[in-house]
Amino acid sequence: VRDVATGRSRGSRGDGPSHRRWKEKILEILAEIQAPLSLLMLRLCNWALLKLLNRLFLGVQLHRGQLEMVLRAARTSNVPLVFLSTHKSQLDGLLLSFLLFSQGLGAPRVTVGSQACSPRLRALLTRLGAIFLPSRMEQAPSDQEEGLLGAVLATYVEEVLRSRQPLLIFLEEPPIALRLSAPAQQWLAMVYRAVRDGAVPDVLLVPVGIAYDVIP
């Protein structure tokens, strides 16, 4: 990130006002991507989600075989988990986060696609673990490797993987199924880049998913 910032400053070493200006821009980009997790809000939302599930669905079934596979993968030492999932409903992120959190795997960082969110909803979701592409990057996905946006995003993904926070990537966006979405391509490219550049030695890709009798 520093290399990109100083390069744009035309050889400046990043001292004084230039350093402060770039630091402010970097923090703005980081705030667009994520926010610190709130354990209190996670617990409150888990409680509320249980109430919602009881009203919305007749039953929720957990696939024991898949759960055992996920728990076995989580026991692999020093290797970060990247969960890959199809996307059937806007509830998928909350449901999968709830299930993983309730099984003691921690709150995953969940990628959110390009669907529009109000500022308040976005702020709430980031406190629950959602991560977003910077808005300007969503408009120009081909430039993901260039500039400060790409550098901050790549470094953030490296730090998530290095700290072994689970990462959940949705491969498609409803209602368009069976097609890799543009945001998913960008998140996967960041994971690949982290392994390629040696930020982490390896990652475990774990398929997870939700099926509905009737999609809400």
Side-chain angles (χ1 to χ4, degrees):
V1 173
R2 187 182 298 113
D3 289 344
V4 173
T6 54
R8 288 197 172 189
S9 297
R10 296 181 183 176
S12 151
R13 292 180 300 170
D15 297 333
S18 174
H19 176 82
R20 287 195 297 272
R21 185 172 67 254
W22 284 112
K23 186 174 180 180
E24 288 172 2
K25 288 186 177 182
I26 290 164
L27 291 176
E28 285 177 10
I29 295 170
L30 190 59
E32 274 196 85
I33 297 171
Q34 62 97 50
L37 290 172
S38 169
L39 192 57
L40 174 62
M41 292 182 70
L42 279 167
R43 288 174 174 166
L44 283 174
C45 284
N46 279 338
W47 173 82
L49 191 58
L50 277 174
K51 300 290 185 183
L52 174 66
L53 291 177
N54 287 329
R55 291 179 177 273
L56 196 59
F57 300 114
L58 294 176
V60 177
Q61 297 179 347
L62 190 60
H63 192 293
R64 292 291 177 183
Q66 189 177 62
L67 176 61
E68 178 55 35
M69 178 189 69
V70 170
L71 293 176
R72 188 166 62 248
R75 290 193 290 267
T76 305
S77 60
N78 300 321
V79 179
L81 293 178
V82 177
F83 297 107
L84 303 178
S85 178
T86 57
H87 206 178
K88 306 298 182 186
S89 159
Q90 302 297 348
L91 284 177
D92 288 358
L94 286 173
L95 286 170
L96 284 172
S97 294
F98 167 74
L99 290 172
L100 295 170
F101 187 72
S102 67
Q103 296 302 315
L105 297 175
R109 290 292 184 171
V110 183
T111 63
V112 179
S114 56
Q115 56 262 43
C117 290
S118 68
R120 287 186 178 183
L121 178 59
R122 187 168 180 139
L124 172 63
L125 291 177
T126 54
R127 298 293 281 179
L128 297 175
I131 54 177
F132 293 79
L133 291 173
S135 55
R136 284 163 289 174
M137 182 169 281
E138 290 176 4
Q139 297 163 10
S142 61
D143 295 331
Q144 65 177 353
E145 294 287 333
E146 299 176 10
L148 196 60
L149 288 171
V152 173
L153 182 63
T155 306
Y156 172 74
V157 172
E158 288 178 5
E159 290 302 318
V160 168
L161 296 175
R162 195 179 285 124
S163 62
R164 296 202 65 205
Q165 295 181 65
L167 178 62
L168 172 59
I169 299 176
F170 286 108
L171 301 177
E172 56 194 19
E173 290 192 36
I176 303 173
L178 302 178
R179 193 176 77 186
L180 191 63
S181 68
Q185 291 180 42
Q186 291 182 285
W187 290 114
L188 290 170
M190 294 298 107
V191 172
Y192 168 75
R193 175 175 169 172
V195 177
R196 182 197 67 191
D197 293 348
V200 290
D202 200 1
V203 296
L204 276 178
L205 302 179
V206 182
V208 294
I210 294 180
Y212 302 92
D213 289 334
V214 178
I215 296 178

